[in-house]
Amino acid sequence: MRIFLSLFVLLIAFISLEAQTRFVATADAKEIVKGGYLEVTFTLENASGTQFKAPAFKNFKVAGGPSTSQSTSWVNGKSSSSIGYSFTLLADKIGTMTIGPASIKVGKQTLSTRPIQVKVVKGRKMANGAVANLEEQVFIRAEPSVNEARIGQQILLDYKLYTVINIESYNIISEPEYDGFYAQNISRFDGRVVKEVINGIQYSTKILRRVALYPQQAGLMTIDPMSSRLGVVDETKPKQRRSFFFNRNLKQFNVNTQTIQINVKPLPDNAPPTFSGAVGNYGMQVQVDKNKLTTDDAITLQVTITGNGDIKRLQPPKLNLDPNLEVYEPNILDEKEVEQNGQNYSQKILEYLILPKEPGRYQIAPEFTYFDTDSLAYRTLKPRIFNVFVSKGTGKSNVKQDLAEDDKLMGDIKFIKTDSNLSKAGSYFYGSPFFWILFALPLCMLGGVVVKKQMDANKPEIDLTLLKSQQAQKHAEEKLATAKKYLGENNGRAFYDEVSRAMFGYVGDKLNMPPSEFSKQNISEKLSSLNVNQEHIAKFTEIIKTAEMALFAGMDNNASMSKVYGDALDVVAKIEGSLT
């Protein structure tokens, strides 16, 4: 029994160490108007507390509370819990007010929150009455995290609702195309209602949608307005009973966000040789599988890079190694994007294979350089230096042979011999016709190799750009074949992602366009300059737009996907016919 109790106590201690205890204070506004309401919550995380004591709330009147709330969650094998104490406060004085700390007892320790400052300002009444000035009561703003960025930097664009009345419904009518950006929807962000004061009016605000934008080219980029349709209760009409399906008092109207501009600057020219193309904030972890080996063995170096920039621009870092260490091109073990803290983070895991040629003591010091958007400078990460000791082996290493087998596997497959010839015992192989054939075969092969090398040397160099252009339709059809597989699985996101890759990949190969120029406007202008039918161009850009909208909104209608697939195959074939 004592052993059981001891284990139980150790388990509780382990859990308490894993889940950090905190006692924090939060408010739903930093600024409110005089006569407005403020909600303050004191939250105890991952612990049980007693003797909770609220602050005095000087310069505020307590309009409600305390109300308590509890929550428990279990994520990735880690548990967390919280209990909150909430108060509704009425602000009746103008000025910068301080809400003092609350306290609670956890075991033998007393925890306290930090003070909160709230600014109380003079409010104003809306002109012409509440109903007559609906545009002032409710509107939507497009709010980018920055107005100046670098190519490849993540920009968070929030579509935020401001209102002083209750919103019954909300629908997007049209969204901007984000020309010049790679756009990705963020589904996890802080969607709580927060109070903000604008021109003396206190609004309840809520982020309706968040998009991560990655600029693909430099210049002054314009994002067109988003159009939405809102529904509010029309107070001018006499109240009627709500239908089972709709509210008869509902008044619907359209609102548009403002046009915004973002100045995208190119990266500085002083990039070091180790620059990987990554822009943003990044971290790097490195590990090797061994530090003692022989010349018969190989070292596996695994590099994990995580950051919030455009993962498509991230190139594998180069390894500056001793010439006696032979390194192969890295394999990408994993590449994924995850949402964390309201942002989009990318992770790429690379594996390098390193073969020592000579015994000795070597150092492996990987470096990763990225452009830091906080300091606006190139930053090089050097996680650690690995000391490797190599001793002389037997010279019978199978590592290179194993690597070569992957490339020559098909050439090594022999046909099964289906017939056989028997010879009498005592017949001699030496001097037979078969012996002379085998003797001459290596000489013939050697001569063939020499002749082929001479012919290759006399051939003109292959124009890779022309080759890519000639194979553009084939590569697009291969990607669309993959999209068709996702269509059969009704996997909308994967389907539209593959369609988008097929369309952009086609124009990139066919027109020799770099990804930085992948915008619908640039594609249309380029195809128009080559006298492609305007109807084909419109259909091509429409497919790109449909794929972007589908990826943004999560569409998975099978009939729509089938139409997009058929249209994509058709328009690629028609444009190919126009250009050949």
Side-chain angles (χ1 to χ4, degrees):
M1 185 65 178
R2 289 181 180 178
I3 295 176
F4 175 78
L5 289 174
S6 299
L7 291 174
F8 180 76
V9 170
L10 287 173
L11 178 62
I12 295 298
F14 175 77
I15 294 175
S16 63
L17 285 173
E18 188 178 75
Q20 184 181 4
T21 298
R22 296 197 314 159
F23 188 41
V24 295
T26 56
D28 67 347
K30 295 181 180 179
E31 185 180 65
I32 59 174
V33 298
K34 180 183 177 181
Y37 290 92
L38 173 75
E39 185 172 300
V40 180
T41 302
F42 305 95
T43 305
L44 177 64
E45 299 177 355
N46 305 312
S48 296
T50 58
Q51 301 179 25
F52 169 76
K53 186 178 180 180
F57 296 123
K58 294 180 180 180
N59 302 316
F60 291 95
K61 290 182 179 178
V62 179
S67 59
T68 60
S69 60
Q70 294 184 351
S71 67
T72 303
S73 63
W74 190 276
V75 180
N76 296 329
K78 296 182 179 181
S79 64
S80 62
S81 62
S82 66
I83 179 170
Y85 304 87
S86 299
F87 296 84
T88 302
L89 308 179
L90 172 65
D92 58 356
K93 291 184 179 180
I94 294 177
T96 301
M97 308 302 177
T98 299
I99 299 174
S103 63
I104 196 169
K105 193 169 184 179
V106 178
K108 296 181 179 181
Q109 185 180 10
T110 299
L111 303 180
S112 299
T113 61
R114 293 182 177 180
I116 298 176
Q117 284 193 337
V118 178
K119 188 176 182 180
V120 182
V121 299
K122 184 179 180 180
R124 71 176 180 88
K125 294 183 179 179
M126 295 186 183
N128 302 325
V131 176
N133 201 11
L134 188 59
E135 292 79 7
E136 193 176 23
Q137 294 182 79
V138 57
F139 54 89
I140 298 176
R141 283 183 174 179
E143 300 180 354
S145 56
V146 294
N147 294 107
E148 188 174 280
R150 302 281 179 162
I151 296 176
Q153 177 181 348
Q154 180 174 181
I155 304 169
L156 297 177
L157 179 62
D158 289 338
Y159 292 101
K160 186 186 287 187
L161 172 70
Y162 291 77
T163 181
V164 296
I165 56 179
N166 291 328
I167 302 299
E168 293 286 326
S169 63
Y170 161 72
N171 292 294
I172 295 177
I173 299 175
S174 63
E175 298 182 44
E177 297 184 355
Y178 306 115
D179 281 337
F181 295 91
Y182 166 62
Q184 191 160 6
N185 185 39
I186 301 291
S187 58
R188 297 180 181 178
F189 53 85
D190 189 351
R192 293 178 299 176
V193 175
V194 178
K195 294 182 176 67
E196 295 185 29
V197 177
I198 299 178
N199 297 328
I201 300 175
Q202 182 170 303
Y203 291 90
S204 295
T205 70
K206 179 180 175 65
I207 299 175
L208 301 176
R209 176 158 295 184
R210 173 170 288 181
V211 184
L213 300 177
Y214 302 91
Q216 302 297 298
Q217 60 194 59
L220 188 62
M221 314 299 292
T222 300
I223 299 178
D224 295 329
M226 181 185 76
S227 180
S228 304
R229 190 167 183 81
L230 302 179
V232 299
V233 176
D234 191 348
E235 301 292 346
T236 62
K237 293 183 179 180
K239 292 185 177 181
Q240 303 180 36
R241 292 185 61 188
R242 181 187 290 267
S243 167
F244 182 79
F245 295 102
F246 61 89
N247 185 355
R248 296 183 179 181
N249 283 349
L250 193 65
K251 178 179 180 180
Q252 293 188 332
F253 61 100
N254 295 345
V255 294
N256 296 323
T257 62
Q258 77 283 16
T259 299
I260 61 175
Q261 290 185 324
I262 297 177
N263 184 20
V264 181
K265 294 184 175 182
L267 298 177
D269 296 330
N270 60 335
T274 54
F275 178 52
S276 64
V279 178
N281 293 289
Y282 282 83
M284 177 184 181
Q285 293 181 339
V286 184
Q287 59 183 16
V288 297
D289 63 338
K290 61 176 74 73
N291 57 9
K292 291 183 179 180
L293 68 159
T294 70
T295 52
D296 297 335
D297 300 324
I299 305 168
T300 299
L301 175 72
Q302 185 170 301
V303 177
T304 302
I305 300 173
T306 306
N308 62 353
D310 187 353
I311 195 172
K312 300 189 301 300
R313 294 182 172 273
L314 195 158
Q315 300 298 320
K318 301 293 183 181
L319 301 180
N320 297 319
L321 302 179
D322 187 283
N324 286 323
L325 295 179
E326 182 179 2
V327 59
Y328 286 80
E329 284 297 316
N331 293 322
I332 300 177
L333 299 184
D334 191 20
E335 185 175 294
K336 61 183 178 182
E337 295 177 291
V338 295
E339 294 178 14
Q340 185 177 348
N341 300 325
Q343 294 189 57
N344 193 43
Y345 284 85
S346 303
Q347 183 183 77
K348 183 174 284 190
I349 302 177
L350 306 162
E351 186 180 74
Y352 296 80
L353 192 66
I354 304 171
L355 277 65
K357 299 178 181 178
E358 299 291 337
R361 177 176 178 175
Y362 302 99
Q363 285 190 338
I364 299 177
E367 295 183 2
F368 171 70
T369 301
Y370 67 96
F371 184 79
D372 189 345
T373 52
D374 289 338
S375 62
L376 297 180
Y378 291 101
R379 183 182 177 191
T380 299
L381 300 180
K382 302 177 181 179
R384 59 176 298 188
I385 297 176
F386 296 96
N387 292 308
V388 178
F389 302 91
V390 180
S391 56
K392 188 172 181 60
T394 62
K396 298 180 179 179
S397 172
N398 293 323
V399 176
K400 290 188 177 181
Q401 295 179 7
D402 293 340
L403 292 172
E405 283 181 0
D406 292 337
D407 297 329
K408 300 191 297 182
L409 179 62
M410 295 306 297
D412 290 341
I413 298 176
K414 308 298 182 182
F415 290 103
I416 299 174
K417 192 174 182 180
T418 57
D419 57 344
S420 60
N421 293 318
L422 301 178
S423 60
K424 294 182 179 180
S427 62
Y428 293 100
F429 170 71
Y430 180 77
S432 66
F434 188 57
F435 167 79
W436 290 112
I437 291 174
L438 290 179
F439 179 79
L441 186 60
L443 298 176
C444 294
M445 291 178 63
L446 180 61
V449 169
V450 173
V451 172
K452 185 177 185 304
K453 284 188 175 182
Q454 187 64 34
M455 292 175 63
D456 291 341
N458 294 330
K459 283 183 179 179
E461 292 187 3
I462 297 175
D463 188 341
L464 295 179
T465 302
L466 177 62
L467 184 62
K468 287 174 65 178
S469 177
Q470 293 172 345
Q471 297 181 349
Q473 182 181 12
K474 176 185 176 183
H475 292 160
E477 289 175 346
E478 289 173 352
K479 291 183 175 65
L480 290 174
T482 305
K484 186 178 181 181
K485 182 189 72 172
Y486 292 128
L487 170 63
E489 299 171 358
N490 202 29
N491 187 340
R493 177 166 291 278
F495 170 80
Y496 284 111
D497 184 54
E498 206 64 37
V499 169
S500 179
R501 290 177 58 194
M503 297 292 101
F504 283 121
Y506 175 75
V507 293
D509 292 343
K510 194 69 183 177
L511 308 180
N512 191 28
M513 290 180 65
S516 60
E517 297 180 5
F518 282 176
S519 69
K520 291 182 281 296
Q521 182 177 357
N522 289 344
I523 293 171
S524 298
E525 292 174 355
K526 187 76 171 179
L527 291 174
S528 297
S529 68
L530 297 173
N531 298 321
V532 176
N533 188 298
Q534 290 296 322
E535 183 179 347
H536 301 340
I537 297 174
K539 176 61 69 176
F540 191 90
T541 55
E542 180 186 349
I543 292 171
I544 294 175
K545 180 179 178 181
T546 301
E548 290 176 347
M549 291 286 290
L551 289 169
F552 186 81
M555 295 165 49
D556 57 0
N557 182 281
N558 195 273
S560 300
M561 290 160 59
S562 297
K563 184 178 184 304
V564 168
Y565 170 74
D567 290 345
L569 276 176
D570 180 62
V571 75
V572 168
K574 288 179 177 177
I575 293 177
E576 182 72 17
S578 302
L579 296 176
T580 53

